[in-house]
């Protein structure tokens, strides 16, 4: 009985938190608290029906619109997710359930569903990948991309994770399982320290085409990036916005790369870092970017804006997020 009282007091205290401190808990924790509040839980139940597609209400239904307005007055509406959390995709599903009224726009940089990440998980990961950050000892090669691949090869865990995505992304009889390939790429990026992943994926080549090709091939682009027929970029956008993980990472990418802030001429070192990490986390989603040749570090999506008709401007704007990103172009390695 005493434990129950303590729990109820905790729930009451959590729900009395000011919405001025939106990152006090993640969305998984916020959902548990919401379910213990009668008003919040009833509203949240309606919203879950609004995001079930054909099995529930359309999001434009009056019930969904009203519930969306009500939920915005509760603490769960201000919850966030984190890249390194174990239940990231569950957290994002909860986030988008309570943000059912969000209307996507091609030229709008909305707030990211992600809060600031703690360094704790990165520090823990570094204990298992310590050799990736030890002084260089394999450098009898001038090819920076080969050097970083060798560095990964010197670490058992890095080798295992890289082998897993390479095997799933390799073409067999001209085809591959793109979904599994993307999943294993995301797994590598999630588990390997991102500071090393930046070195591996963006190794500098100085006009060395062999090095540049090694860099371009890092994500096994035949499966993860290229397709037999290029889709229109707006089709890629629509697919991405229909997937909670891809949508969330795209909004995070827009936010951290200042893609729509025309008054900013360049990126600060801190912004470079955040933008680079956001770019890397797009790999393994429906909007996976990559280098487009072995001569420079130009990046793009595998898509075209041909046939966009009266949407050509917005198509070029979306594609330009990856081809004309100032933070990526000016990044110094």
């Amino acid at each position: 009985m005493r434990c129950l009282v303590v729990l109820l007091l905790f729930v009451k205290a959590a729900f009395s938190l000011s919405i001025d401190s939106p990152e006090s808990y993640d969305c998984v924790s916020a959902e548990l608290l919401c379910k213990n509040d009668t008003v919040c839980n009833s509203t949240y139940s309606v919203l879950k029906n609004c995001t079930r597609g054909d099995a529930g209400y359309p999001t434009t239904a009056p019930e969904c619109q009203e519930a969306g307005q009500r939920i915005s007055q509760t603490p769960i509406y201000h919850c966030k997710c984190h890249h390194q959390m174990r239940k990231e995709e569950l957290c994002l599903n909860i986030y988008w359930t309570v943000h059912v009224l969000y209307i996507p726009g091609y030229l709008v940089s909305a707030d990211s569903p992600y809060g600031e990440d703690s360094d704790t998980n990165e520090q823990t990961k570094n204990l298992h990948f310590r050799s990736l950050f030890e002084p260089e000892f394999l450098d009898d090669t001038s090819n920076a991309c080969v050097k970083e691949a060798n560095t990964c090869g010197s670490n058992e865990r890095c080798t295992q994770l890289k082998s897993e995505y390479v095997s799933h992304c390799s073409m067999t009889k001209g085809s591959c399982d793109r979904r599994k390939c993307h999943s294993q790429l995301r797994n590598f990026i999630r588990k390997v320290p991102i500071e090393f992943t930046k070195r591996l994926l963006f190794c500098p080549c100085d006009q060395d085409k062999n090095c540049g090709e090694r860099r371009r091939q890092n994500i096994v682009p035949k499966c993860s990036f290229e397709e037999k027929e290029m889709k229109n970029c707006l089709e890629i956008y629509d697919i991405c916005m229909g997937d909670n993980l891809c949508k969330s990472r795209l909004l995070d990418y827009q936010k951290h790369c200042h893609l729509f802030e025309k008054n900013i001429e360049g990126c600060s070192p801190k912004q470079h870092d955040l933008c680079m990490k956001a770019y890397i986390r797009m790999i393994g989603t429906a909007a996976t970017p990559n280098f487009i040749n072995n001569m420079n570090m130009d990046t793009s999506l595998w898509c075209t804006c041909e046939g966009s008709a009266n949407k050509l401007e917005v198509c070029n704007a979306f594609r330009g997020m990856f081809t004309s990103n100032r933070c990526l172009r000016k990044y110094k390695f």
Side-chain angles (χ1 to χ4, degrees):
M1 182 68 182
R2 184 176 180 182
C3 293
L4 179 60
V5 171
V6 171
L7 176 61
L8 291 174
L9 288 174
F10 171 76
V11 170
K12 182 178 180 181
F15 257 83
S16 65
L17 285 170
S18 167
I19 62 173
D20 293 330
S21 55
E23 296 181 20
S24 53
Y25 50 82
D26 63 73
C27 295
V28 177
S29 302
E31 182 191 49
L32 294 175
L33 297 175
C34 179
K35 287 180 177 179
N36 283 284
D37 179 88
T38 305
V39 175
C40 184
N41 187 44
S42 62
T43 305
Y44 183 64
S45 296
V46 173
L47 290 175
K48 284 198 291 186
N49 277 325
C50 297
T51 54
R52 289 171 56 197
D54 294 339
Y57 306 123
T59 56
T60 54
E63 296 92 337
C64 299
Q65 296 293 306
E66 183 181 340
Q69 292 292 342
R70 285 203 309 270
I71 205 76
S72 68
Q73 305 302 313
T74 67
I76 192 175
Y77 187 80
H78 301 274
C79 67
K80 292 286 187 178
C81 300
H82 301 282
H83 293 290
Q84 300 300 329
M85 65 188 301
R86 288 185 178 181
K87 298 180 179 180
E88 178 188 348
E89 293 193 46
L90 172 62
C91 183
L92 292 173
N93 289 340
I94 296 168
Y95 178 92
W96 289 112
T97 296
V98 300
H99 287 80
V100 69
L101 300 185
Y102 169 77
I103 301 175
Y106 295 117
L107 303 178
V108 177
S109 180
D111 184 30
S112 169
Y114 293 101
E116 290 187 16
D117 286 318
S118 168
D119 292 332
T120 304
N121 286 328
E122 280 295 308
Q123 292 168 359
T124 302
K125 283 195 293 186
N126 287 349
L127 295 176
H128 303 287
F129 295 93
R130 188 175 297 144
S131 65
L132 302 181
F133 302 95
E134 290 178 350
E136 301 169 357
F137 58 92
L138 298 171
D139 290 79
D140 51 352
T141 175
S142 59
N143 187 321
C145 294
V146 171
K147 185 198 80 172
E148 298 300 353
N150 288 343
T151 301
C152 179
S154 71
N155 181 279
E156 183 179 354
R157 186 66 175 137
C158 187
T159 300
Q160 177 188 356
L161 290 167
K162 187 177 181 185
S163 296
E164 286 173 357
Y165 86 68
V166 170
S167 64
H168 281 92
C169 295
S170 296
M171 304 291 284
T172 303
K173 296 182 180 180
S175 64
C176 68
D177 190 326
R178 190 179 178 92
R179 182 185 63 81
K180 288 184 178 179
C181 170
H182 279 173
S183 176
Q184 290 301 321
L185 274 167
R186 294 196 307 271
N187 189 51
F188 178 89
I189 290 167
R190 181 171 64 89
K191 292 183 177 179
V192 174
I194 200 160
E195 291 303 323
F196 175 74
T197 305
K198 282 164 52 179
R199 284 166 36 200
L200 179 69
L201 298 184
F202 285 85
C203 42
C205 290
D206 297 328
Q207 308 300 315
D208 182 340
K209 290 186 179 180
N210 290 330
C211 177
E213 185 60 20
R214 184 71 179 249
R215 179 175 59 204
R216 195 182 72 82
Q217 291 291 336
N218 261 324
I219 66 168
V220 198
K222 280 289 183 183
C223 181
S224 68
F225 177 65
E226 301 171 13
E227 294 186 80
K228 290 182 179 179
E229 294 184 8
M230 269 195 178
K231 292 184 174 72
N232 183 280
C233 295
L234 294 185
E235 183 180 351
I236 297 288
Y237 176 87
D238 289 338
I239 293 171
C240 183
M241 296 304 282
D243 177 82
N244 285 343
L245 179 66
C246 187
K247 172 169 58 176
S248 301
R249 295 192 174 185
L250 180 62
L251 294 178
D252 203 49
Y253 177 68
Q254 291 178 190
K255 174 184 176 181
H256 290 305
C257 294
H258 289 313
L259 291 172
F260 301 115
E261 296 184 26
K262 297 181 180 180
N263 295 328
I264 299 177
E265 294 183 359
C267 293
S268 67
K270 180 180 180 181
Q271 204 60 48
H272 282 317
D273 183 64
L274 293 173
C275 177
M276 187 62 56
K277 290 174 180 177
Y279 171 92
I280 289 172
R281 289 178 178 126
M282 288 303 304
I283 295 171
T285 70
T288 291
N290 195 29
F291 302 104
I292 56 176
N293 57 56
N294 59 14
M295 296 179 290
N296 53 47
M297 298 184 79
D298 290 348
T299 60
S300 182
L301 299 174
W302 186 261
C303 64
T304 178
C305 284
E306 291 182 11
S308 297
N310 62 346
K311 291 186 177 180
L312 180 61
E313 184 177 350
V314 290
C315 184
N316 284 331
F318 173 58
R319 185 170 179 270
M321 292 182 189
F322 298 90
T323 60
S324 304
N325 185 324
R326 293 162 301 173
C327 281
L328 291 180
R329 274 205 318 267
K330 297 181 181 180
Y331 196 88
K332 303 298 182 183
F333 298 91

